[in-house]
Amino acid sequence: MTNLEKYVNAFVEGLGVEEDVVNSKLEYQSVPEWDSVGHMGLISELEDAFDIEMETDDIVDFNSYNTGIKILKKYNVEI
């Protein structure tokens, strides 16, 4: 599985959305599933998928699909 596939899968599993919802336009609270509870599910899935532990500031700043890619670079994860 590629890093992009892992990334998309984290959204699908963490938020409980269909894969076709996950794209560069996806932002926090743009779908009902990405609320505060869904956000923590998403972060958990990402940490498990990439074997990382995100800092609190990064968890708070992770507010869109595109921002997430930038944040993961900090953890040496290239999407």
Side-chain angles (χ1 to χ4, degrees), residues 19-73:
E19 190 172 329
D20 63 343
V21 172
V22 183
N23 60 54
S24 62
K25 295 180 182 176
L26 185 60
E27 295 181 347
Y28 181 66
Q29 295 187 334
S30 65
V31 294
E33 296 85 356
W34 197 352
D35 58 9
S36 58
V37 174
H39 187 71
M40 294 315 297
L42 169 59
I43 297 300
S44 178
E45 288 290 332
L46 289 166
E47 289 181 333
D48 288 348
F50 296 110
D51 196 27
I52 59 173
E53 187 172 332
M54 295 174 68
E55 296 175 10
T56 303
D57 288 345
D58 292 330
I59 293 170
V60 172
D61 292 343
F62 197 115
N63 61 6
S64 72
Y65 178 95
N66 290 333
T67 300
I69 291 172
K70 293 174 188 172
I71 289 172
L72 288 176
K73 285 183 182 179

